[in-house]
């Protein structure tokens, strides 16, 4: 079976994080559990507030009943939101349902203030559920939905508190409840988003490290086995000659394809950023008649610049294949001097006669001027043609131009 460059895949034996849902669970579990500690502490504060204030209420018996609801819901919701080991699909749905119920319970207890106290009490003091305990759904919404969800919950709680206390018209902009609630929701929301992003980046780094380790292992195994065998077949077949010469040529092609594939596996994957590594774009053009040499470190250029340089090299190699003859060899060399990137494409063919390019352009044949010189000039670089011992193109791309 003839191998191709896409015939090999690097298996990964190292266990790695699987899904974004798992990353979200790991990232937010400490936030959820810390929020439940806060919930239970504020529950104790609410109980103490009830003990002190019950004798001032219009209906103290009802206030104790509602306090029982507050305590029961605090314990139940703290248990449900503490991230116990449950299936992830159930965990996500349960948390969403509990946070919605949490908000409704708090809003209901705030509204019940007018049932247990008279105007003189709730107008100048806290609502029945206490402001501190009422921050719990704001925190939960922020952890679950981020800054937007936390801010929305904060506005709902603070606005209802202002309405129930009858301070909507007089102290709307001076009451501290709204800014405190919004600040809590915004801060916790940003914290949850940051935690999720940090966990995702950590897991991505773990995956890349594990994949790189596996690629190195596979590369060693391939080098020690398959590549040495192909090299032996190529060398022996060439020595024997005759019909085995074709087998030797095929073995040499597959050896080159494997070496290119292994070298590409060691390079960083394209992360989709503004800049890309030029090396894999050039090594992809290697063939039995084309040798490509690149630096050991990434040569990063703007995505469009790298693509145009690679296309220019492909055009130069196409000219070599068309005009230099089937026996010609081509060599591509990539250099990075820091100030500029230099790509040389040389072949051992007969070279281009003096004046031939100008004559082709005059005849309306614009292949070289457009596909090679035109591309480089448009990018702000230079394309120099040398015709000593074959044909050599030298493309120079200044960094200042390549990064615009």
């Amino acid at each position: 079976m003839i191998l191709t460059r896409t015939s090999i895949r690097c298996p990964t034996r190292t266990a790695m994080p699987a899904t974004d849902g798992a990353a979200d669970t790991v990232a937010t579990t400490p936030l959820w559990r810390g929020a439940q500690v806060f919930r239970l502490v504020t529950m104790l504060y609410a109980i103490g507030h009830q003990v002190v204030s019950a004798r001032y209420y219009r209906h103290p018996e009802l206030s104790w009943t509602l306090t029982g609801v507050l305590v029961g819901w605090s314990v139940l919701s703290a248990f449900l939101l503490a991230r116990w080991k449950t299936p992830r699909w159930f965990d996500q749905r349960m948390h969403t349902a509990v946070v919605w119920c949490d908000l409704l319970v708090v809003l209901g207890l705030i509204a019940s203030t007018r049932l247990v106290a008279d105007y003189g009490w709730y107008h100048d003091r806290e609502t029945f559920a206490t402001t501190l305990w009422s921050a719990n759904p704001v925190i939960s919404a922020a952890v679950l939905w981020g800054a937007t969800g936390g801010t929305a919950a904060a506005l709902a709680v603070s606005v209802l508190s202002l309405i129930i206390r009858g301070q909507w018209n007089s102290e709307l902009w001076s009451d501290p409840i709204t800014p405190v609630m919004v600040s809590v929701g915004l801060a916790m929301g940003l914290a949850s988003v940051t935690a999720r992003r940090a966990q995702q980046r950590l897991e991505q780094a773990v995956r890349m490290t594990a994949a790189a380790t596996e690629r190195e292992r596979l590369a060693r195994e391939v080098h020690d086995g398959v590549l040495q065998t192909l090299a032996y077949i190529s060398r022996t077949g060439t020595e024997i000659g005759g019909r085995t010469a074709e087998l030797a040529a095929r073995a040499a092609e597959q050896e080159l394809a494997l070496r290119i594939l292994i070298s590409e596996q060691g390079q960083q994957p394209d992360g989709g950023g503004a800049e890309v590594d030029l090396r894999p774009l050039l090594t992809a053009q290697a063939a039995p008649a084309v040798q490509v040499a690149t630096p050991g470190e990434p040569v990063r250029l703007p995505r469009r610049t790298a693509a145009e340089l690679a296309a220019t090299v492909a055009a130069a190699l196409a000219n070599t294949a068309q005009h230099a003859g089937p026996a010609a060899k081509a060599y591509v060399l990539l250099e990075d001097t820091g100030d500029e990137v230099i790509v040389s494409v040389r072949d051992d063919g007969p070279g281009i006669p003096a004046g031939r390019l100008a004559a082709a352009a005059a005849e309306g044949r614009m292949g070289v001027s457009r596909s090679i010189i035109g591309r480089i000039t448009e990018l702000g670089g230079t394309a120099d043609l040398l015709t000593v011992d074959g044909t050599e193109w030298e493309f120079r791309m200044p960094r200042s131009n390549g990064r615009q």
Side-chain angles (χ1 to χ4, degrees):
M1 176 181 178
I2 299 298
L3 298 173
T4 64
R5 293 179 56 199
T6 58
S7 300
I8 294 180
R9 295 293 184 268
C10 296
T12 301
R13 299 183 302 179
T14 305
M16 296 182 296
T19 63
D20 291 339
D24 179 85
T25 299
V26 174
T28 59
T29 293
L31 295 177
W32 283 116
R33 293 179 178 174
Q36 305 327 304
V37 174
F38 176 81
R39 181 186 298 272
L40 296 178
V41 171
T42 56
M43 178 192 72
L44 296 178
Y45 172 79
I47 294 174
H49 184 273
Q50 167 66 16
V51 172
V52 173
S53 305
R55 63 179 181 271
Y56 301 107
Y57 289 149
R58 182 175 55 186
H59 299 291
E61 298 82 4
L62 178 60
S63 70
W64 281 110
T65 300
L66 294 176
T67 299
V69 173
L70 182 151
V71 172
W73 174 250
S74 296
V75 174
L76 177 61
S77 59
F79 176 82
L80 294 176
L81 294 176
R83 286 281 190 188
W84 302 103
K85 293 182 178 180
T86 56
R88 190 158 49 250
W89 65 269
F90 176 77
D91 186 70
Q92 294 292 337
R93 293 182 179 180
M94 180 186 67
H95 277 69
T96 301
V98 172
V99 171
W100 276 111
C101 291
D102 195 19
L103 183 60
L104 293 176
V105 169
V106 170
L107 294 178
L109 289 177
I110 291 176
S112 70
T113 302
R114 293 202 174 189
L115 298 178
V116 299
D118 54 25
Y119 179 83
W121 174 264
Y122 60 70
H123 180 72
D124 298 325
R125 295 175 177 83
E126 289 186 291
T127 56
F128 167 75
T130 76
T131 302
L132 190 61
W133 187 83
S134 300
N136 284 290
V138 176
I139 296 175
S140 298
V143 175
L144 183 62
W145 296 310
T148 301
T151 303
L155 291 175
V157 172
S158 58
V159 168
L160 181 62
S161 176
L162 290 173
I163 294 175
I164 293 300
R165 293 163 60 202
Q167 296 180 345
W168 179 261
N169 295 324
S170 60
E171 300 182 13
L172 176 61
W173 308 115
S174 61
D175 191 89
I177 293 179
T178 300
V180 169
M181 286 290 185
V182 172
S183 298
V184 170
L186 184 61
M188 287 299 299
L190 293 176
S192 66
V193 171
T194 302
R196 288 183 175 94
R197 290 178 179 174
Q199 183 64 29
Q200 290 173 357
R201 291 176 181 176
L202 174 61
E203 295 193 356
Q204 183 181 12
V206 171
R207 285 194 294 267
M208 292 177 63
T209 301
T213 301
E214 188 64 19
R215 285 195 295 265
E216 291 177 2
R217 182 195 65 82
L218 180 61
R220 289 192 299 268
E221 293 181 359
V222 171
H223 182 272
D224 294 340
V226 179
L227 287 178
Q228 291 183 2
T229 301
L230 289 174
Y232 174 77
I233 294 174
S234 175
R235 183 174 61 255
T236 304
T238 302
E239 294 174 353
I240 295 175
R243 298 183 62 183
T244 60
E246 181 181 357
L247 176 62
R250 294 293 182 89
E253 293 177 1
Q254 298 308 303
E255 179 190 0
L256 176 61
L258 277 175
R259 290 188 184 279
I260 294 173
L261 180 61
I262 292 173
S263 66
E264 290 176 351
Q265 296 300 320
Q267 297 169 356
Q268 294 292 332
D270 183 1
E275 292 189 342
V276 296
D277 188 359
L278 179 60
R279 298 177 302 164
L281 300 180
L282 298 183
T283 56
Q285 303 184 42
V290 179
Q291 296 184 16
V292 180
T294 61
E297 297 297 325
V299 180
R300 305 193 68 81
L301 287 173
R303 186 174 295 274
R304 176 176 175 272
T305 301
E308 289 295 308
L309 271 174
T312 303
V313 171
L317 293 175
N319 280 341
T320 297
Q322 182 177 359
H323 301 292
K329 300 290 185 180
Y331 308 89
V332 179
L333 174 63
L334 172 62
E335 300 175 86
D336 187 358
T337 66
D339 295 329
E340 63 179 355
V341 174
I342 305 173
V343 181
S344 302
V345 182
R346 180 175 60 86
D347 64 56
D348 57 4
I352 301 176
R356 179 58 184 143
L357 294 182
E363 295 171 2
R365 302 170 62 183
M366 307 298 292
V368 171
S369 61
R370 288 181 178 176
S371 61
I372 297 180
I373 301 176
R375 276 194 173 102
I376 299 300
T377 302
E378 183 180 353
L379 295 173
T382 59
D384 298 323
L385 176 62
L386 306 176
T387 57
V388 179
D389 296 331
T391 300
E392 180 176 358
W393 284 99
E394 186 177 78
F395 309 123
R396 292 178 174 268
M397 181 59 57
R399 286 285 190 182
S400 58
N401 292 334
R403 287 175 176 169
Q404 289 178 350

